[in-house]
Amino acid sequence: MRMYDIIMKKRNGGELTEQEIQFFIEGYTKGEIPDYQVSALMMAIYFQKMTETETAALTMAMAHSGDMLDLSEIQGCKVDKHSTGGVGDKTSLALTPMVAACGIPVAKMSGRGLGHTGGTIDKLESFAGFNVALSREKFIENVNKIGIAIMGQTADLAPADKKLYALRDVTATVDNMSLIASSIMSKKLAAGADAIVLDVKTGSGAFMKTQEDAEALAQEMVKIGNHAGRKTIAVVSDMDQPLGFTVGNALEVKEAIDTLKGQGPADFTALCLELGSQMLVAGGAARDAVIAKTMLQQVIADGSALDKLAQFVGAQGGNPDWVYHTEQLPMAEHIVDVLAPVEGYVQKITCDEVGICSLMLGGGRETKESEIDLSVGLVLKKKVGDYVQKGDTLAQLHINDLSRQDAVTKRLLKAYIIGEAQPKSSQLIKCIIS
């Protein structure tokens, strides 16, 4: 088998066999096939696209390119959750203890943030001493003991995807539905869960800007998961404005804790209940989503979800008291109000611009080597549909370096579109695909 023939076949619109896909993934992972040939194949796939069969084969080949995590020692049905990312998306911080408190074990691998999208691992490190470098044995022990553990992604998990994504990133071949779906699902399948719930974002702060594209990606990933024998459900949700009110690591942790106390923002709470209900149904803890939501509301009301978060933080080296005393979390030196320049309705908030404002304050990474300031970020005081008077506070900057204030303020004001007409309310949950 020759890589040249595989490239030419796909360039001419042919369908690659499972053996051909396996050949190029194995060869590329081992360093036997050069970047320039794989770049040519990625460009051919970008233009000619892949069939469902090809996409499934590519996903499985990447999943099996490294370690396949064996979670069979964990009691019960393991349900994983993945979000395609967004601004203010702190869902895992509140959702996982809610689900664990309902009896579904959560054994999750999460990543760090790059760019304006924050990573779950970074946010959890707002708890001083929190450790994500768990051994497999400790990871499994924690899940069996308290029902939840989150660790960083290992280098041996789907290594083909890491190589392939880095190459696609510099060859303008990221934006292809099959390649995106196989990249996400290869890691999820390798991580060993029995069932997978996907939160696919759509809107200005999401990778998929249109609902049509988000639904197409969701359908592709659900097919891959079901093809691999994992019960897979996708929830397509709105990311046309930041989720909740906070953007920034420690600020988002506090908002997640407020949500576990029953005091969270309406949109964020609703999303956690929807995703959580799907996880409970997929894991067999509830017959339907209505019963599941009642269970989740109960563990919030009785405090057991909050206690579960504290147990989880303590088990991984953080101080569990900080869950109950959030004033101990990192706090910025200054809080600066950003005022509305005109009167009217907030018609739109350009979501990714808000994320970039957090990045400019120091709350995100521009490169993998960038240091994150866990204390900085933004708290939105007005969201889409709110009426504001001139001089009202639109948002507050939590900032340490005041030399950044003017640039961030100007950018944030451009992100807010204020006008006379009241906008139509946006639907948070667009659809559910199973």
Side-chain angles (χ1 to χ4, degrees):
M1 199 174 292
R2 294 193 311 158
M3 190 61 182
Y4 177 92
D5 298 325
I6 294 172
I7 295 167
M8 186 166 65
K9 182 178 182 181
K10 179 44 71 177
R11 185 201 69 185
N12 294 339
E15 181 175 354
L16 301 182
T17 66
E18 184 179 341
Q19 292 74 24
E20 286 168 332
I21 290 170
Q22 189 70 44
F23 171 81
F24 104 75
I25 287 295
E26 281 185 7
Y28 188 50
T29 305
K30 293 175 182 176
E32 296 168 356
I33 297 173
D35 279 353
Y36 62 82
Q37 284 192 308
V38 178
S39 296
L41 180 59
M42 291 299 101
M43 193 59 76
I45 289 171
Y46 180 86
F47 284 113
Q48 297 291 359
K49 308 193 184 307
M50 299 184 93
T51 64
E52 282 182 27
T53 304
E54 285 177 300
T55 306
L58 177 61
T59 306
M60 295 310 295
M62 291 198 295
H64 286 277
S65 65
D67 292 342
M68 295 288 286
L69 199 59
D70 181 4
L71 301 181
S72 59
E73 294 171 46
I74 296 174
Q75 300 144 18
C77 179
K78 284 73 69 180
V79 184
D80 198 359
K81 167 258 172 192
H82 175 80
S83 169
T84 57
V87 180
D89 185 7
K90 72 284 293 178
T91 312
S92 291
L93 302 174
L95 178 63
T96 52
M98 287 164 60
V99 170
C102 290
I104 292 295
V106 178
K108 185 168 176 53
M109 284 194 174
S110 291
R112 297 190 181 277
L114 185 60
H116 69 258
T117 302
T120 299
I121 296 298
D122 298 310
K123 292 167 191 174
L124 285 168
E125 287 179 347
S126 297
F127 295 99
F130 190 90
N131 175 34
V132 296
L134 303 179
S135 67
R136 177 184 172 276
E137 292 71 26
K138 183 64 176 172
F139 181 68
I140 289 172
E141 178 191 329
N142 282 7
V143 180
N144 279 330
K145 188 175 178 182
I146 64 170
I148 179 172
I150 296 179
M151 65 187 289
Q153 291 173 352
T154 69
D156 295 327
L157 193 79
D161 174 62
K162 291 181 178 68
K163 284 193 73 172
L164 211 53
Y165 188 87
L167 188 69
R168 288 165 53 213
D169 196 33
V170 295
T171 56
T173 52
V174 168
D175 192 12
N176 172 277
M177 203 69 73
S178 293
L179 295 177
I180 295 168
S182 60
S183 175
I184 293 169
M185 292 304 292
S186 64
K187 294 190 286 286
K188 292 291 107 182
L189 296 177
D194 301 314
I196 302 164
V197 173
L198 302 161
D199 181 12
V200 183
K201 303 292 191 186
T202 180
S204 66
F207 190 71
M208 293 296 165
K209 303 299 182 189
T210 69
Q211 185 175 336
E212 183 183 8
D213 283 347
E215 288 186 20
L217 176 61
Q219 288 169 350
E220 191 97 11
M221 291 193 291
V222 167
K223 287 174 187 172
I224 290 170
N226 291 335
H227 182 271
R230 315 289 175 91
K231 180 165 182 158
T232 307
I233 301 164
V235 175
V236 178
S237 67
D238 182 67
M239 189 43 75
D240 240 349
Q241 63 174 330
L243 186 61
F245 294 109
T246 61
V247 181
N249 297 282
L251 292 169
E252 292 185 41
V253 171
K254 185 179 184 306
E255 188 165 68
I257 290 171
D258 288 343
T259 303
L260 293 177
K261 293 177 180 176
Q263 302 162 4
D267 60 344
F268 180 59
T269 301
L271 181 63
C272 287
L273 290 174
E274 186 60 62
L275 293 170
S277 66
Q278 298 300 332
M279 291 175 76
L280 294 189
V281 171
R287 186 173 66 251
D288 58 45
V290 175
I291 293 171
K293 282 182 185 176
T294 302
M295 292 169 65
L296 293 164
Q297 288 165 333
Q298 180 60 40
V299 295
I300 291 173
D302 65 21
S304 58
L306 186 68
D307 291 342
K308 187 63 68 178
L309 177 65
Q311 291 171 17
F312 158 57
V313 169
Q316 293 195 209
N319 188 335
D321 288 342
W322 289 19
V323 172
Y324 306 104
H325 301 281
T326 54
E327 70 277 4
Q328 301 293 327
L329 291 164
M331 294 176 65
E333 224 175 301
H334 309 282
I335 298 176
V336 178
D337 288 346
V338 176
L339 307 180
V342 294
E343 181 180 347
Y345 288 99
V346 178
Q347 295 177 332
K348 181 181 178 182
I349 302 174
T350 309
C351 194
D352 51 0
E353 286 294 305
V354 178
I356 292 169
C357 287
S358 179
L359 176 69
M360 291 168 67
L361 290 170
R365 288 186 181 85
E366 296 198 46
T367 70
K368 288 182 180 178
E369 291 73 34
S370 299
E371 286 286 325
I372 280 186
D373 185 342
L374 296 170
S375 68
V376 302
L378 304 95
V379 177
L380 306 185
K381 295 298 182 179
K382 302 293 182 182
K383 294 187 71 176
V384 174
D386 290 338
Y387 191 82
V388 298
Q389 301 283 348
K390 182 178 180 180
D392 282 354
T393 300
L394 292 177
Q396 291 178 325
L397 308 182
H398 287 242
I399 183 170
N400 287 319
D401 183 357
L402 288 175
S403 68
R404 306 182 184 196
Q405 178 184 334
D406 287 348
V408 174
T409 298
K410 285 176 186 174
R411 189 147 196 160
L412 186 62
L413 287 174
K414 286 182 180 177
Y416 269 85
I417 309 300
I418 299 172
E420 292 182 8
Q422 185 173 12
K424 292 180 181 177
S425 58
S426 181
Q427 190 176 2
L428 177 68
I429 308 298
K430 306 294 187 183
C431 68
I432 297 170
I433 297 167
S434 62

